[in-house]
Every structure is written in C-alpha cells, then in structure tokens.
Amino acid sequence: MAKQQKALYRVISKIRASLDLETIFRTATKETCKLLGVERIAVYRFSEDWGGEFIGDCEFAEVGWDDLETLGKNTIWNDTHLQENQGGRYRNNENLVVADVYAAGLSQCHLEILEQFHIRAYATAPIFIGQKLWGVLAAYQHSQSHEWQDLEVQFLSQVATQLGFAVKQAELLGQTEQKAADLRAANEQQQILLNSIAEIRESLDLDTLFQTTVREVRRIMNADRVGIFKFDEGSDCQSGEFVAEDILPEFNPAIAVKVRDPCFAERYAAHYQQGRIQVISDVFKAGFKVCHLEILEQFQIKAKIVVHLIKGNRLWGLLCINQCGHPRHWKLAEVQFVKQLAAQFSVALNHAELLAQSRSQAEQLTQAIQALQQSNEKLEALTNLDALTQVGNRRFFDEVLEKEWLRLRRMQNHLSLILFDIDNFKSYNDRYGHPSGDECLIQVARASQRVLQRPADVLARYGGEEFAVILPETDGEGAIRVAKQIQDAIKQLEIPNAGLWEDRPFVTVSLGIVSEIPAEEKSVGGLIDRADAALYEAKAKGRDTWVCDGGDRREPRWITSDSSDKDRHRD
C-alpha cells in the first residue's frame, strides 16, 4: 500500500508539474502504464452527444503493442449504450472492470470493436471536471485476460481524479491566457487608432462650431437666416430639426422646431447625397410640391442656398442660407463660398466624431489595460496557487525555497523547513469519501495558514495530503514552536476520524522539521531530504508527533516531541 501511494504521489507530482494538457496526458498515460504493468493506457473524451474519441498522442503502449492500430490520433469510438444513457455508469463515478471480454457477456457489435484493437481485458475510470463527466481513463490488456486487483483499479481511479483537477486548472489557465492575448491585441489596435487621430484638434466642439458657423456665415452672406439642419437618426431624411441658427429678429425662428417632409426624402435626398447643391432665387417659381412649399412658407423662406453636410458616407444634415424678406439672386462667388464652407464643415463633423471615438477608445484602452493587468495578476495567482486549498502549490514552493536558500546563504542566517502530512489520510478518504477528504485538506491548510504570522513565512501544498512550511531567518527552536502550533491548530479543528485511530477520534498530523544555515557545500535538495527523513521518523514513532533533525552530521540525531528540554539544547 505504501509503495502504491508513493508511486501515486510521483505520478501526481509529474502531472502537476505541467499546465499543458498534451504534456499532462502523455505523462499520465506513460507513468500509469508502467506502474500498473499493463500493455496500454489511453484517455477517452466525451463529446456533446455522449459519443467520443480517444485523444491523439495521449496514449502509451508497452513495447510489442505500440505497433497495433492506435487508439489515439482522434479515433472516434461511439458507444451507443453510453450515448443512450448519457455516460452510463460513469456519470455515477463508477469504474468498469472486464477481466476477459469473451466471458463478460458483451454484445457482438461491442466485441467487434474491441477485437479491432486486440483488446482482451480492460479497466476504466471516469474523469470529472468539477461535477461534469469529461472522459474516461482506460487501461487495456491485449495479450491475455487479466484479473484486475482492487489496488490497480483504485490507482487508476485516483489518477483519473487527478487528471480531472489538472484538466480544469489547464483550461482555466488557457482561458486566462486567451483573454490576456485578446486584451494585448486590443491594446495594439487602440494605440494605432489613437495615433491615426493625433492630428485632430482637441478643442473641436460641435456646439461651438455650429454657433460660430451660422453667425459668421449670416454676417458674411448678409442673409436673413442661416441654419444647420440635422436629420433624425433612422428617419431616411424624412424628419429632423435645426440644431443651430442665426436669424434677424423680425423673422420666425426655426431652432428646435420639428420638421417632417416626406417630399424632401422622395425627391431631393438622393441628389444631396450625391453632392448636388440647391440654389433657389424664388421658391414660388421653383416648382416645389405643395407639401414642401408649405414648410418653406412656415419659415418665411423666399430664396435659399442648401448644401449637403456629409458625415462618413451618409447625409447627416444641411447648411441652409435663407432670404426671408424677398427673393434673391445668388452670385456664383456666394455659391462657391457656401460650397467650400460646407465641405470644411463636413470635415469638422467627421473630425468631431473621430474625437469622440478617440475619447471613447481611450477609455476602452484604459479599461483594457486594467483588465490585462487583472488578468495577468489572476494568471500569476493561478500558476502559484493550489486549486483546491488556495495555498501555494509545488511550483511556488520550489521557487520560494530556492530563492530563500540563496538569500540566506549570503546572509549566513538560518532557514527552517517543516514537512507535515495528515495521518492515515488514505483510510480517511476510504471511510468518508473524496469530497470529505478534499474538505479536510482545505481545513488543514486554513488552520496551518493562520498559524503563520510573518509575511515571509510560506505554506504550500507539497503533494497529496502533504504540506510544507518555509521559515526564513528561523532557527530550530523557532521552527519547533511553529510546528507545535500547527499540530495544535489542526487538533482543535476536531475533524472526526472515528474508528481509524484508537484513542484518537480526530484528524492529526505528523511533522518533520529541519533547520540549518545554507552553505556552498549544501543544497536545497539536501534540506528537503532531511525534512522528509524527519517526517518519516515521526511516522515510524506512531504519528501525531513531530521530529526535528537536530544536527548536520552524516547520521542525523533526532529531537522528538518526547525529548527533554535538555536534549533539545545539547549540541
């Protein structure tokens, strides 16, 4: 049992060492195949219709069976029973074990598929991502039947569970990386946009531009009214209103008066869109329809010049120069002036729109940068945190320990390390179930984290039910104090463990402690090995205790929880 658990921890550590799905699956299949001693391991993924396929390049077969037709390479294998039952027994987290396909009472069509790949015996375990059935981890024997042992099936199931955790973590990382890439692309696009409008005048304000234009044009043209008319959005040029006007006081104002003129949309809009200018010396001799003429009379218009205002590629509005007291013969120079003015005004309209867009884009760019920073922070946290317990993961532990080792070697100060794990956790899992086991790990992590008071102290999940505490600038006595506090804090949780320990009804931990001043001739690996050996000694002494490696001699001298204070201070 201990050998199998150690093998499982090794497989899990290798799986957790990568966040790339392809690498995770290749590692899992290869290591599981070797450890179980079977002839092939493969990963099968369900599709939306509960059919599925074997994931390409994510299987491992022993020599002699790797030349058979490959299960991977995205081989489709739709099981009608699984499709009809939407995953069948796997949805209930049940394994399937067949010692001999010819003695299992399988249907002929199923047997033919198995024979295609020379499968004689198989064991399968479901892979869950959260509550969702994702796929199956399968072990196959080709050469002969195989009586699957409980430990083999249990090992396969445990690897499948870890694959589920790894897939979920890798998918979250992939999503975060994709969001970060999208935000970076948006950042580049926004910067190009900002550069392209850098020459637009920042002071360009449409309201000011409108009022200045109508006032100056009426003055220069000596007209009775000059107005800017804007069509309503979505009206197809049938309705709108004057948004700016300068008029002599004796005539009726047109500002903000709603105008609806279907005749204009029908007869004139298309011409203005094409760039034509309307120059009318006498509206009563121009042949207007009655509907249009009534609108002109409403505003006392006797003569007019009307020029299109284009925004983008659509007719935005009109620049109107009106003579209200009498008809007027417009000079060619006046018409050319209005035409040129309208062209510049259209440019200003587009500049103003670009300016508004640039401000909006600038806000979006700021938001994108903030979102990118948040995504990067989440990504960094994701790569450093254990998904279940939310403390540091093995990757984070390795980085911090190496960094502190080098720092304290320069400072010639103590570095202490505590390794501890939950006693009889395998039995706890078997008795209470994996969900309760996960909750136990979470509570142990939280309680241990509360013990650590200094920002420099680090708690990490070392693997499985094993945790590690890095204590910079802490000698052996200080490390022992922290270990005792962790041991007491976990006991105070009073997590039930009835029937698994005599006279110990609650979950306990065993701890291995080591402390030394880093030196050139020593290594981080040696520090870990000594802490691991101390933990092993604590287990050997009956668990629910701590052991400290009390010296740097080749043969370690243990300081244990039952040692006297005198022993503790002895060289």
Side-chain angles (χ1 to χ4, degrees):
M1 177 70 73
K3 182 179 180 181
Q4 181 183 356
Q5 287 300 107
K6 190 172 182 179
L8 177 63
Y9 294 153
R10 186 166 67 251
V11 173
I12 293 173
S13 297
K14 290 185 177 182
I15 291 174
R16 293 295 179 88
S18 175
L19 292 173
D20 175 67
L21 278 180
E22 187 174 344
T23 302
I24 288 170
F25 286 134
R26 282 205 304 265
T27 301
T29 53
K30 180 179 180 180
E31 294 296 325
T32 304
C33 192
K34 290 182 177 179
L35 290 171
L36 288 182
V38 295
E39 292 163 347
R40 187 188 297 271
I41 296 289
V43 177
Y44 178 82
R45 174 174 55 198
F46 285 111
S47 56
E48 292 296 329
D49 63 354
W50 293 102
E53 63 182 6
F54 287 93
I55 301 177
D57 296 328
C58 291
E59 66 169 304
F60 182 82
E62 288 292 352
V63 175
W65 296 102
D66 51 5
D67 58 344
L68 292 176
E69 186 170 353
T70 308
L71 290 175
K73 305 297 183 186
N74 302 319
T75 300
I76 302 295
W77 188 342
N78 290 330
D79 188 317
T80 55
H81 174 76
L82 291 178
Q83 288 179 290
E84 292 171 359
N85 294 276
Q86 298 185 344
R89 69 174 66 207
Y90 297 124
R91 293 186 65 190
N92 300 323
N93 202 18
E94 297 178 13
N95 301 324
L96 177 59
V97 178
V98 174
D100 189 335
V101 299
Y102 297 109
L106 302 176
S107 64
Q108 185 60 34
C109 61
H110 193 182
L111 198 58
E112 289 174 355
I113 296 175
L114 296 172
E115 287 177 339
Q116 177 184 350
F117 299 103
H118 305 276
I119 295 173
R120 185 67 184 273
Y122 61 89
T124 54
I127 300 172
F128 279 85
I129 298 180
Q131 301 298 318
K132 179 183 177 182
L133 176 60
W134 181 90
V136 176
L137 180 64
Y140 297 106
Q141 286 291 100
H142 300 285
S143 59
Q144 59 186 1
S145 60
H146 182 78
E147 290 295 333
W148 300 95
Q149 302 299 312
D150 289 343
L151 287 178
E152 292 176 324
V153 177
Q154 186 181 65
F155 184 87
L156 191 70
S157 178
Q158 290 172 326
V159 173
T161 298
Q162 294 301 320
L163 279 178
F165 293 147
V167 170
K168 182 176 182 180
Q169 184 172 342
E171 288 182 350
L172 287 173
L173 177 61
Q175 293 169 6
T176 304
E177 289 177 337
Q178 184 58 50
K179 288 180 180 178
D182 292 344
L183 288 171
R184 284 192 292 268
N187 187 356
E188 294 173 357
Q189 293 172 358
Q190 299 300 329
Q191 191 59 49
I192 292 173
L193 176 61
L194 291 175
N195 291 338
S196 70
I197 63 173
E199 297 180 359
I200 296 178
R201 291 171 293 175
E202 290 290 337
S203 62
L204 188 59
D205 176 74
L206 280 183
D207 289 337
T208 302
L209 181 64
F210 290 165
Q211 297 302 324
T212 301
T213 299
V214 295
R215 182 178 68 250
E216 293 303 312
V217 171
R218 196 195 70 77
R219 182 181 63 82
I220 294 172
M221 294 285 294
N222 195 26
D224 296 335
R225 177 197 286 115
V226 174
I228 295 175
F229 184 86
K230 178 184 178 183
F231 293 108
D232 292 334
E233 293 284 345
S235 69
D236 294 327
C237 299
Q238 294 188 37
S239 64
E241 62 183 343
F242 284 92
V243 295
E245 177 187 58
D246 193 79
I247 187 174
L248 293 177
E250 60 264 34
F251 299 109
N252 298 332
I255 191 73
V257 176
K258 205 67 171 176
V259 178
R260 179 172 178 78
D261 188 357
C263 295
F264 176 89
E266 179 183 341
R267 297 191 61 183
Y268 306 114
H271 298 297
Y272 283 111
Q273 182 73 50
Q274 295 169 7
R276 293 179 62 179
I277 299 174
Q278 188 181 62
V279 181
I280 304 297
S281 298
D282 189 339
V283 298
F284 296 104
K285 296 179 180 180
F288 292 131
K289 285 188 175 183
V290 175
C291 60
H292 186 58
L293 197 58
E294 288 176 349
I295 293 175
L296 296 176
E297 289 179 334
Q298 176 185 351
F299 299 111
Q300 304 166 288
I301 298 172
K302 302 296 190 296
K304 63 175 181 172
I305 299 176
V306 182
V307 189
H308 61 282
L309 299 175
I310 301 296
K311 185 177 182 180
N313 58 0
R314 67 180 180 88
L315 183 60
W316 178 88
L318 304 168
L319 176 60
C320 304
I321 293 91
N322 300 149
Q323 202 67 27
C324 301
H326 50 77
R328 175 173 173 173
H329 177 73
W330 304 99
K331 298 177 182 179
L332 181 60
E334 293 174 328
V335 175
Q336 289 297 327
F337 170 76
V338 174
K339 183 178 179 180
Q340 293 173 350
L341 180 65
Q344 293 300 316
F345 197 87
S346 293
V347 172
L349 281 175
N350 288 290
H351 283 184
E353 182 178 39
L354 286 173
L355 180 59
Q357 290 178 356
S358 71
R359 288 170 177 167
S360 175
Q361 297 290 354
E363 292 179 2
Q364 294 179 18
L365 176 60
T366 300
Q367 294 173 0
I369 292 173
Q370 292 174 348
L372 177 60
Q373 291 173 342
Q374 293 174 358
S375 295
N376 287 336
E377 291 172 359
K378 290 179 181 179
L379 178 61
E380 183 178 356
L382 182 63
T383 58
N384 288 335
L385 285 182
D386 175 63
L388 177 65
T389 60
Q390 294 300 296
V391 299
N393 57 18
R394 178 62 180 274
R395 179 196 301 267
F396 184 63
F397 166 80
D398 290 339
E399 291 177 355
V400 173
L401 187 60
E402 180 69 25
K403 179 180 177 181
E404 291 296 341
W405 176 271
L406 296 175
R407 183 178 70 87
L408 295 173
R409 189 175 70 183
R410 292 192 301 269
M411 295 178 60
Q412 282 297 286
N413 203 337
H414 281 88
L415 174 62
S416 292
L417 175 64
I418 302 173
L419 292 182
F420 69 93
D421 68 7
I422 302 172
D423 295 325
N424 290 330
F425 187 70
K426 170 64 174 58
S427 300
Y428 182 93
N429 254 342
D430 291 343
R431 182 181 183 89
Y432 294 100
H434 289 289
S436 295
D438 288 347
E439 180 60 29
C440 177
L441 289 170
I442 292 171
Q443 290 192 47
V444 166
R446 289 175 179 172
S448 303
Q449 187 68 68
R450 287 193 293 268
V451 168
L452 306 182
Q453 301 297 318
R454 302 184 308 170
D457 297 341
V458 171
L459 171 68
R461 187 178 178 190
Y462 192 71
E465 74 273 17
E466 189 170 357
F467 294 86
V469 178
I470 303 172
L471 300 172
E473 301 179 33
T474 303
D475 61 13
E477 292 187 17
I480 290 172
R481 282 195 297 272
V482 173
K484 287 180 178 180
Q485 291 170 2
I486 290 174
Q487 185 181 29
D488 292 341
I490 293 170
K491 285 183 178 180
Q492 290 171 11
L493 293 174
E494 296 188 350
I495 301 174
N497 198 18
L500 301 180
W501 275 84
E502 185 176 347
D503 299 329
R504 296 177 189 174
F506 303 117
V507 166
T508 59
V509 294
S510 297
L511 306 95
I513 310 163
V514 64
S515 180
E516 67 178 41
I517 297 175
E520 289 283 351
E521 66 275 9
K522 300 176 183 178
S523 68
V524 172
L527 185 74
I528 296 174
D529 289 342
R530 290 173 58 199
D532 190 60
L535 174 58
Y536 183 84
E537 180 70 14
K539 292 289 187 182
K541 290 177 67 66
R543 299 180 174 84
D544 188 22
T545 187
W546 57 265
V547 170
C548 178
D549 185 339
D552 296 336
R553 305 186 183 104
R554 182 168 300 176
E555 293 296 330
R557 184 181 64 79
W558 307 118
I559 299 174
T560 65
S561 56
D562 54 359
S563 300
S564 67
D565 291 338
K566 181 178 179 181
D567 289 337
R568 186 174 304 154
H569 297 290
R570 188 181 303 155
D571 289 336

